[in-house]
Amino acid sequence: MPYIGKQPATISAVAVDTTTGAFSSNVTAGGTLAVTGETTLATHLNMGDGDIIKLGADADLQIQHNGTNSIIRDNGTGAL
């Protein structure tokens, strides 16, 4: 399987395409997943209560749901 950087110690998946590195079934990654290029989701993004979407180099725009309220924070310069 192709990889970039340090070779992972263990990968568990139902199937791995050794040409493209594509996984089928569920895959769990611990730590930070760095993606170069575009990320496309087939359906949706699931995040838990309190998790924050941070946009911008300094997290200037943040979107969050804390379990009760939905929050949009514009901490950067310029207009929202």
Side-chain angles (χ1 to χ4, degrees):
M1 179 182 134
Y3 60 88
I4 298 173
K6 183 179 177 185
Q7 182 175 4
T10 305
I11 294 177
S12 297
V14 173
V16 178
D17 183 317
T18 58
T19 303
T20 65
F23 295 93
S24 63
S25 190
N26 297 331
V27 176
T28 301
T32 300
L33 175 63
V35 177
T36 301
E38 188 174 296
T39 301
T40 302
L41 304 174
T43 57
H44 53 274
L45 175 65
N46 286 324
M47 298 178 64
D49 288 340
D51 292 345
I52 303 171
I53 297 172
K54 297 178 181 180
L55 303 168
D58 294 318
D60 298 333
L61 178 62
Q62 299 181 9
I63 302 171
Q64 174 187 23
H65 181 75
N66 65 14
T68 304
N69 300 302
S70 296
I71 304 158
I72 298 176
R73 289 187 187 90
D74 181 16
N75 298 323
T77 58
L80 176 62

